[in-house]
Amino acid sequence: HAGAADVDLAAELTNQLEAGGASRQEALRRLSEPSLMRRLSFAPAGCRAVQLALEVADRSSAAQVAAGLQGSVSDAIGSPNANYVVQKILTVLTPQEVPFVAEELQGAGPALACDEYGCRIYCRLLEHAAEDESTVRLLDSALAEVDVLLTHPFGHHVVEGVLEHGLARQQGEIIPVLRKGVMRTANSRPGAYVLEKALLYSSLEDRRALASDVLAALPSELHGLMRSQLGCMVIRAMLRSLPAVAQQVRQQLTESGLMSELETTKHGRRLLASAGLSSVSDSSSVGAREEA
């Protein structure tokens, strides 16, 4: 019965929030009651109403609503519903406006970066507050395990986020670990995505070094990479990284004897089109990320 009542309450609050004016203010006042906000955040319908409140509220009201999760952040991150509320909080408010979030994340430890929902929280922090002191501390702690994160099914998202949005010094901690086993990383699904980001977002020097490592692999390893769907994604990132690297990749493709074989697969044709070596292209998907 409580569940059904919460569905009705969430619908009522949603209507009030969408109505604006005094109705919206009344809904925000109700959601500023911590026990109600917390209960709704953990429920499927309720979490959507709370997210809407955070979206439409002014900053002060949003911070008051967000405070309802104080003391429950770790539990919320582990919830298939409330984790979206934490993500929304980090999207609409700064870490300074909700300092308890970073404090409770720090207490949860770096293992959170390998959690199905926890990795999303790290990604939102990187997208919206990468230079904030509390975010930097959290990421520094997580990156102590970068060798594990690289090929972890969830942890790799955090490494990708650092490569795209993180501090240069944090990015610099990832590259040497990537270079230690670049082909092994390239042949794992999570690792291939990390390597793609590194080839697109790291410094010119690091991109050049990573590309050189790949191109220096044994011909059998390099050709194997060119044949695979994930490998093609990595090679396409190399084509986009630096002109000199792109020229070397084209040379490898033409000298490999693989072009006719690559023409027979969708990912192969996409690679050849990206390299400017084929008239056959899948225009709807060139440049799109492969999903194996």
Side-chain angles (χ1 to χ4, degrees), residues 16 18 20 40 68 144 163 166 173 176 182 189 192 204 227-228:
Q16 288 182 306
E18 289 173 344
L40 290 178
L163 288 166
E173 290 174 31
V182 71
R189 183 185 176 87
L204 288 176
R227 287 187 178 98
S228 76

Side-chain angles (χ1 to χ4, degrees), residues 273-288:
S274 297
L277 295 174
S278 171
S279 58
V280 181
S281 70
D282 183 349
S283 60
S284 67
S285 51
V286 169

Side-chain angles (χ1 to χ4, degrees), residues 182-200:
V182 71
M183 294 305 284
R184 185 176 66 251
T185 302
N187 282 297
S188 82
R189 183 185 176 87
Y193 287 132
V194 172
L195 187 53
E196 179 202 33
K197 278 287 196 298
L199 287 162
L200 295 176

Side-chain angles (χ1 to χ4, degrees), residues 215 219 222-228 231-240 245-263 265 267-278:
L215 291 166
L222 187 56
H223 295 173
L225 200 63
M226 290 174 172
R227 287 187 178 98
S228 76
C232 279
M233 180 184 76
V234 171
I235 302 295
R236 288 205 319 277
M238 289 171 65
L239 285 164
R240 294 164 59 193
V245 169
Q247 186 54 43
Q248 286 177 276
V249 170
R250 288 189 194 97
Q251 187 177 340
Q252 284 282 352
L253 284 165
T254 52
E255 293 175 2
S256 66
L258 291 177
M259 285 179 61
S260 58
E261 183 183 336
L262 291 172
E263 288 279 13
T265 64
H267 55 269
R269 290 193 298 273
R270 188 180 296 179
L271 172 58
L272 293 175
S274 297
L277 295 174
S278 171

Side-chain angles (χ1 to χ4, degrees), residues 74-209:
S74 290
D75 289 342
I77 291 169
S79 159
N81 302 309
N83 87 87
Y84 288 105
V85 174
V86 180
Q87 290 184 65
K88 184 64 71 176
I89 288 170
L90 296 174
T91 302
V92 301
L93 295 167
T94 65
Q96 288 84 5
E97 289 171 302
V98 282
F100 65 89
V101 175
E103 288 166 17
E104 293 180 45
L105 284 172
Q106 196 78 54
L112 200 60
C114 290
D115 178 77
E116 180 180 2
Y117 302 129
C119 68
R120 302 176 190 180
I121 306 305
Y122 277 91
C123 290
R124 297 300 85 76
L125 281 167
L126 282 160
E127 290 161 6
H128 298 282
E131 296 184 7
D132 180 82
E133 269 184 48
S134 58
T135 303
V136 171
R137 281 197 302 274
L138 279 169
L139 267 300
D140 283 347
S141 180
L143 288 174
E145 306 288 335
V146 66
D147 53 333
V148 174
L149 297 176
L150 275 180
T151 54
H152 190 277
F154 304 122
H156 77 94
H157 294 295
V158 177
V159 184
E160 288 183 58
V162 174
L163 288 166
E164 191 168 354
H165 305 289
L167 302 183
R169 83 165 164 76
Q170 291 173 330
Q171 294 165 351
E173 290 174 31
I174 296 167
I175 303 302
V177 182
L178 261 179
R179 292 192 66 192
K180 262 192 249 175
V182 71
M183 294 305 284
R184 185 176 66 251
T185 302
N187 282 297
S188 82
R189 183 185 176 87
Y193 287 132
V194 172
L195 187 53
E196 179 202 33
K197 278 287 196 298
L199 287 162
L200 295 176
Y201 293 104
S202 58
S203 70
L204 288 176
E205 184 183 343
D206 287 339
R207 276 184 264 168
R208 191 177 293 115

